[in-house]
Amino acid sequence: EEPLFVTSHQTSHRVFNFSPGPAALPTEVLEKAASEMLNWRGMGVSVMEVSHRGKEFMEVAAKAKDDFRRLLHIPDHYEILFMQGGAIGENSIVPLNLMLPQGKANYLITGQWSARSAKEAARYGEVQIVADGADAQGRYQSMPPRSHWKIDHKAAYLHLCVNETIDGLAFNGLVDRGHESHQAPKDMPVVADLSSTVLSEAIDVSEFGLLYGGAQKNIGPAGLTFVIIRKDLLGRAHPLCPSAFNYKIVAENDSMYNTPPTYSIYLAGLVFEWLIAKGGVDAIAKVNAQKAELLYDTIDKSDFYYNTIDPAYRSKMNVCFFLRDENLNAQFLKESHEAGLVALKGHRVVGGMRASIYNAMPLEGVQALASFMKSFEQRHG
Ligand code: PMP
């Protein structure tokens, strides 16, 4: 039997890509996609050129959904939707679908992305800011303590972001609804932006009413949005919600109410198969933890680099760091690029460097970065 993924020898020009998103995809997945580009399933066409309603593509979409469900242990009382518009689109689509009848929602601000979510939601109803983690300089370095959360118990839901991609700050499994100090009422759905952490470690889906995110970090190419929604939350949309963004209509039409981003779904399906072959989420989570530990360790042990995030909440996906001598930033980026380590420049709002190390970044890539950092420090420190 042919192996699912084969690695040819044409991959030596591939670099280690630390892009925050669209991000690196597994080389094996790209090779497989390339190999069947012109003649998919012996049909003499590419997967992009067939009807989304044909038997062949319907199989691809159904398998992708099943594999996603299997990988994240998504219970049967949750619907998986494949949509478009990205996570920023969902910042509007979520309130349009879930804010009624209360007309208000709770938003916890822990970084750039959740701040943006709250701002967008305020266009549709009343937004209660549960807490804002920004410090005096406007930086997000730690999570606002729960004792400071102000939850409006009459609001429709609580929104939060599990991993703040720009700030490099994450809940790290601490989104624990059952905990006494969590003040959200038990029946208030928690809605979470999972864009930059989905499939990187286990998450208990049943703790949430809705999870959403863009695909372009851990799942596949841009253009695809995933929504995981508890079925009882369907059917509450505002009358002005576009039909194509009405969760109930999307669910009833098996995410094919309008033409879905077929190539992105196909590629996401290959990434899911790749991850299953790797041993699934628990297996990759171990590698991810190792990768993050190695990088933070390299940063913490040096006097040349530093990271400012509260250690309990350091992101395992987006590792932000600074050079003490900011004058060396350009040199660092130039030399790292020459060493085949690309896209390390930090987000303009935060500055410094950021290494995004999603599932497709192998341990060897992070080892190469850590060695480069040490050697750069020796040469310039
Ligand atoms: N939320 C988070 C956590 C993100 O990382 C991003 C993308 N970087 C977004 C929202 C916005 O996603 P999109 O560009 O797909 O709308």
Side-chain angles (χ1 to χ4, degrees):
E1 214 180 281
E2 261 189 70
L4 192 54
F5 296 105
V6 280
T7 308
S8 76
H9 298 284
Q10 298 165 21
T11 57
S12 50
H13 54 278
R14 293 267 296 164
V15 294
F16 289 122
N17 174 12
F18 295 90
S19 170
L25 286 164
T27 300
E28 302 94 309
V29 165
L30 295 177
E31 290 215 296
K32 167 117 177 149
S35 77
E36 49 192 30
M37 177 65 83
L38 298 183
N39 186 12
W40 180 60
R41 294 193 170 187
M43 291 168 71
V45 292
S46 79
V47 64
M48 277 179 274
E49 302 167 292
V50 300
S51 167
H52 57 296
R53 300 193 190 282
K55 177 173 135 313
E56 292 82 6
F57 186 78
M58 296 280 273
E59 268 173 36
V60 169
K63 174 138 196 318
K65 232 185 240 184
D66 284 351
D67 285 348
F68 190 38
R69 190 179 289 281
R70 187 172 146 198
L71 280 163
L72 268 189
H73 304 292
I74 300 169
D76 286 341
H77 62 293
Y78 285 77
E79 196 79 54
I80 297 169
L81 312 178
F82 289 148
M83 298 180 68
Q84 294 177 78
I88 291 178
E90 290 302 323
N91 286 341
S92 295
I93 297 168
V94 164
L96 277 168
N97 277 276
L98 295 187
M99 241 194 200
L100 290 181
Q102 294 90 330
K104 53 183 170 179
N106 292 298
Y107 277 74
L108 179 64
I109 301 187
T110 57
Q112 305 295 334
W113 285 114
S114 52
R116 189 154 173 175
S117 300
K119 201 170 162 205
E120 190 74 2
R123 304 177 61 218
Y124 302 96
E126 196 184 317
V127 162
Q128 161 81 10
I129 303 298
V130 172
D132 187 336
D135 65 15
Q137 286 77 45
R139 294 259 169 122
Y140 295 92
Q141 323 261 24
S142 188
M143 289 293 177
R146 278 174 210 217
S147 50
H148 296 186
W149 291 17
K150 286 200 195 71
I151 295 195
D152 183 337
H153 287 229
K154 294 207 180 74
Y157 58 86
L158 165 64
H159 178 282
L160 51 86
C161 177
V162 178
N163 182 76
E164 291 281 1
T165 320
I166 295 176
D167 312 273
L169 186 77
F171 272 100
N172 289 332
L174 301 173
V175 192
D176 176 7
R177 220 173 134 62
H179 201 274
E180 279 171 50
S181 59
H182 195 307
Q183 298 155 357
K186 275 243 169 309
D187 57 352
M188 180 177 289
V190 178
V191 174
D193 179 349
L194 206 63
S195 296
S196 48
T197 182
V198 62
L199 295 175
S200 70
E201 63 184 356
I203 187 162
D204 183 355
V205 172
S206 68
E207 293 281 338
F208 299 88
L210 187 151
L211 294 161
Y212 71 87
Q216 66 271 21
K217 297 156 201 306
N218 252 339
I219 290 185
L224 173 66
T225 317
F226 67 88
V227 172
I228 302 164
I229 180 169
R230 218 174 59 211
K231 286 179 181 167
D232 63 284
L233 296 174
L234 297 167
R236 303 182 180 195
H238 189 283
L240 289 178
C241 177
S243 309
F245 294 150
N246 181 316
Y247 292 143
K248 183 157 187 275
I249 294 176
V250 176
E252 282 169 355
N253 288 278
D254 220 3
S255 299
M256 304 243 183
Y257 176 73
N258 63 332
T259 312
T262 52
Y263 196 74
S264 295
I265 291 173
Y266 154 81
L267 222 98
L270 292 184
V271 171
F272 297 151
E273 286 175 8
W274 171 85
L275 186 51
I276 288 169
K278 285 245 162 199
V281 171
D282 288 339
I284 206 97
K286 289 201 184 92
V287 183
N288 287 335
Q290 248 182 304
K291 280 150 51 183
E293 200 182 312
L294 173 58
L295 264 189
Y296 285 119
D297 210 46
T298 304
I299 295 162
D300 290 344
K301 284 199 175 127
S302 99
D303 298 321
F304 189 82
Y305 306 103
Y306 68 99
N307 165 283
T308 59
I309 306 295
D310 179 345
Y313 299 112
R314 284 171 160 184
S315 168
K316 290 198 276 288
M317 293 288 104
N318 311 97
V319 178
C320 294
F321 62 93
F322 298 90
L323 277 63
R324 292 214 183 266
D325 181 357
E326 298 257 309
N327 295 320
L328 288 171
N329 282 358
Q331 189 67 17
F332 182 91
L333 288 168
K334 179 172 175 279
E335 286 188 28
S336 55
H337 197 275
E338 284 162 6
L341 307 163
V342 313
L344 285 164
K345 191 174 174 155
H347 189 276
R348 64 194 136 71
V349 171
V350 173
M353 307 296 155
R354 172 175 51 168
S356 294
I357 50 174
Y358 304 114
N359 287 354
M361 173 60 64
L363 179 59
E364 299 79 65
V366 174
Q367 285 166 337
L369 174 58
S371 319
F372 169 80
M373 287 168 70
K374 283 178 198 151
S375 113
F376 187 85
E377 175 173 356
Q378 273 161 15
R379 281 176 287 115
H380 298 278

